[in-house]
PDB file of all heavy atoms in Angstrom:
ATOM      1  N   ARG A 283     -37.386  40.909 -56.882  1.00 98.00           N
ATOM      2  CA  ARG A 283     -36.596  41.815 -56.154  1.00 98.00           C
ATOM      3  C   ARG A 283     -36.883  43.209 -56.544  1.00 98.00           C
ATOM      4  O   ARG A 283     -37.056  44.118 -55.630  1.00 98.00           O
ATOM      5  CB  ARG A 283     -35.056  41.504 -56.471  1.00 98.00           C
ATOM      6  CG  ARG A 283     -34.114  42.363 -55.630  1.00 98.00           C
ATOM      7  CD  ARG A 283     -32.656  42.112 -56.186  1.00 98.00           C
ATOM      8  NE  ARG A 283     -32.459  42.734 -57.484  1.00 98.00           N
ATOM      9  CZ  ARG A 283     -31.461  42.392 -58.342  1.00 98.00           C
ATOM     10  NH1 ARG A 283     -30.670  41.389 -57.989  1.00 98.00           N
ATOM     11  NH2 ARG A 283     -31.294  42.934 -59.572  1.00 98.00           N
ATOM     12  N   VAL A 286     -40.332  44.308 -55.213  1.00 98.00           N
ATOM     13  CA  VAL A 286     -40.427  44.543 -53.725  1.00 98.00           C
ATOM     14  C   VAL A 286     -39.620  45.788 -53.433  1.00 98.00           C
ATOM     15  O   VAL A 286     -40.053  46.600 -52.576  1.00 98.00           O
ATOM     16  CB  VAL A 286     -39.694  43.325 -53.072  1.00 98.00           C
ATOM     17  CG1 VAL A 286     -39.559  43.664 -51.504  1.00 98.00           C
ATOM     18  CG2 VAL A 286     -40.510  42.094 -53.218  1.00 98.00           C
ATOM     19  N   ARG A 287     -38.492  46.037 -54.190  1.00 97.00           N
ATOM     20  CA  ARG A 287     -37.727  47.281 -53.903  1.00 97.00           C
ATOM     21  C   ARG A 287     -38.604  48.526 -54.139  1.00 97.00           C
ATOM     22  O   ARG A 287     -38.558  49.479 -53.451  1.00 97.00           O
ATOM     23  CB  ARG A 287     -36.381  47.229 -54.616  1.00 97.00           C
ATOM     24  CG  ARG A 287     -35.558  48.442 -54.437  1.00 97.00           C
ATOM     25  CD  ARG A 287     -34.193  48.227 -54.947  1.00 97.00           C
ATOM     26  NE  ARG A 287     -33.526  49.578 -54.861  1.00 97.00           N
ATOM     27  CZ  ARG A 287     -33.195  50.313 -55.845  1.00 97.00           C
ATOM     28  NH1 ARG A 287     -33.518  49.861 -57.165  1.00 97.00           N
ATOM     29  NH2 ARG A 287     -32.609  51.437 -55.696  1.00 97.00           N
ATOM     30  N   SER A 300     -29.762  46.208 -55.541  1.00 97.00           N
ATOM     31  CA  SER A 300     -29.022  45.024 -55.086  1.00 97.00           C
ATOM     32  C   SER A 300     -28.706  44.162 -56.258  1.00 97.00           C
ATOM     33  O   SER A 300     -29.439  44.061 -57.258  1.00 97.00           O
ATOM     34  CB  SER A 300     -29.932  44.172 -54.162  1.00 97.00           C
ATOM     35  OG  SER A 300     -29.431  42.921 -53.886  1.00 97.00           O
ATOM     36  N   PHE A 304     -31.516  39.317 -52.517  1.00 98.00           N
ATOM     37  CA  PHE A 304     -31.822  39.914 -51.280  1.00 98.00           C
ATOM     38  C   PHE A 304     -31.882  41.460 -51.344  1.00 98.00           C
ATOM     39  O   PHE A 304     -31.290  41.932 -52.450  1.00 98.00           O
ATOM     40  CB  PHE A 304     -30.893  39.507 -50.203  1.00 98.00           C
ATOM     41  CG  PHE A 304     -29.478  39.742 -50.493  1.00 98.00           C
ATOM     42  CD1 PHE A 304     -28.875  40.869 -50.267  1.00 98.00           C
ATOM     43  CD2 PHE A 304     -28.679  38.721 -51.213  1.00 98.00           C
ATOM     44  CE1 PHE A 304     -27.520  41.214 -50.655  1.00 98.00           C
ATOM     45  CE2 PHE A 304     -27.376  38.971 -51.474  1.00 98.00           C
ATOM     46  CZ  PHE A 304     -26.795  40.307 -51.325  1.00 98.00           C
ATOM     47  N   LEU A 305     -32.391  42.163 -50.435  1.00 98.00           N
ATOM     48  CA  LEU A 305     -32.421  43.509 -50.333  1.00 98.00           C
ATOM     49  C   LEU A 305     -31.815  44.006 -49.070  1.00 98.00           C
ATOM     50  O   LEU A 305     -31.967  43.293 -48.011  1.00 98.00           O
ATOM     51  CB  LEU A 305     -33.862  44.130 -50.460  1.00 98.00           C
ATOM     52  CG  LEU A 305     -34.497  43.952 -51.964  1.00 98.00           C
ATOM     53  CD1 LEU A 305     -35.897  44.253 -51.898  1.00 98.00           C
ATOM     54  CD2 LEU A 305     -33.718  44.967 -52.882  1.00 98.00           C
ATOM     55  N   TRP A 306     -31.209  45.065 -49.064  1.00 97.00           N
ATOM     56  CA  TRP A 306     -30.533  45.560 -47.819  1.00 97.00           C
ATOM     57  C   TRP A 306     -31.337  46.865 -47.390  1.00 97.00           C
ATOM     58  O   TRP A 306     -31.411  47.766 -48.153  1.00 97.00           O
ATOM     59  CB  TRP A 306     -29.092  45.926 -48.122  1.00 97.00           C
ATOM     60  CG  TRP A 306     -28.294  46.629 -46.967  1.00 97.00           C
ATOM     61  CD1 TRP A 306     -27.732  47.829 -47.113  1.00 97.00           C
ATOM     62  CD2 TRP A 306     -28.009  46.174 -45.700  1.00 97.00           C
ATOM     63  NE1 TRP A 306     -27.051  48.180 -45.908  1.00 97.00           N
ATOM     64  CE2 TRP A 306     -27.246  47.133 -45.095  1.00 97.00           C
ATOM     65  CE3 TRP A 306     -28.262  44.886 -45.040  1.00 97.00           C
ATOM     66  CZ2 TRP A 306     -26.733  46.976 -43.704  1.00 97.00           C
ATOM     67  CZ3 TRP A 306     -27.784  44.840 -43.741  1.00 97.00           C
ATOM     68  CH2 TRP A 306     -26.944  45.736 -43.075  1.00 97.00           C
ATOM     69  N   LEU A 307     -31.713  46.820 -46.199  1.00 95.00           N
ATOM     70  CA  LEU A 307     -32.540  48.084 -45.613  1.00 95.00           C
ATOM     71  C   LEU A 307     -31.481  48.590 -44.585  1.00 95.00           C
ATOM     72  O   LEU A 307     -31.246  48.122 -43.516  1.00 95.00           O
ATOM     73  CB  LEU A 307     -33.710  47.589 -44.925  1.00 95.00           C
ATOM     74  CG  LEU A 307     -34.659  46.664 -45.627  1.00 95.00           C
ATOM     75  CD1 LEU A 307     -35.826  46.280 -44.855  1.00 95.00           C
ATOM     76  CD2 LEU A 307     -35.029  47.267 -46.929  1.00 95.00           C
ATOM     77  N   VAL A 335     -30.917  45.632 -42.065  1.00 96.00           N
ATOM     78  CA  VAL A 335     -31.561  44.463 -42.138  1.00 96.00           C
ATOM     79  C   VAL A 335     -31.475  43.825 -43.526  1.00 96.00           C
ATOM     80  O   VAL A 335     -31.713  44.624 -44.421  1.00 96.00           O
ATOM     81  CB  VAL A 335     -33.075  44.569 -41.667  1.00 96.00           C
ATOM     82  CG1 VAL A 335     -33.851  43.202 -41.817  1.00 96.00           C
ATOM     83  CG2 VAL A 335     -33.179  45.128 -40.271  1.00 96.00           C
ATOM     84  N   ARG A 336     -31.133  42.654 -43.625  1.00 97.00           N
ATOM     85  CA  ARG A 336     -31.118  41.998 -45.025  1.00 97.00           C
ATOM     86  C   ARG A 336     -32.348  41.096 -45.105  1.00 97.00           C
ATOM     87  O   ARG A 336     -32.653  40.228 -44.207  1.00 97.00           O
ATOM     88  CB  ARG A 336     -29.816  41.091 -45.032  1.00 97.00           C
ATOM     89  CG  ARG A 336     -29.497  40.549 -46.446  1.00 97.00           C
ATOM     90  CD  ARG A 336     -28.589  39.453 -46.454  1.00 97.00           C
ATOM     91  NE  ARG A 336     -29.119  38.296 -45.758  1.00 97.00           N
ATOM     92  CZ  ARG A 336     -28.384  37.300 -45.287  1.00 97.00           C
ATOM     93  NH1 ARG A 336     -27.048  37.421 -45.224  1.00 97.00           N
ATOM     94  NH2 ARG A 336     -29.031  36.228 -44.797  1.00 97.00           N
ATOM     95  N   VAL A 337     -33.032  41.290 -46.218  1.00 98.00           N
ATOM     96  CA  VAL A 337     -34.272  40.477 -46.381  1.00 98.00           C
ATOM     97  C   VAL A 337     -34.078  39.666 -47.736  1.00 98.00           C
ATOM     98  O   VAL A 337     -33.760  40.290 -48.815  1.00 98.00           O
ATOM     99  CB  VAL A 337     -35.572  41.233 -46.515  1.00 98.00           C
ATOM    100  CG1 VAL A 337     -35.793  41.993 -45.120  1.00 98.00           C
ATOM    101  CG2 VAL A 337     -35.502  42.426 -47.493  1.00 98.00           C
TER     102      VAL A 337
END
Side-chain angles (χ1 to χ4, degrees):
R283 179 187 75 199
V286 173
R287 180 167 172 256
S300 169
F304 52 86
L305 288 165
W306 173 242
L307 311 179
V335 177
R336 189 196 70 203
V337 294

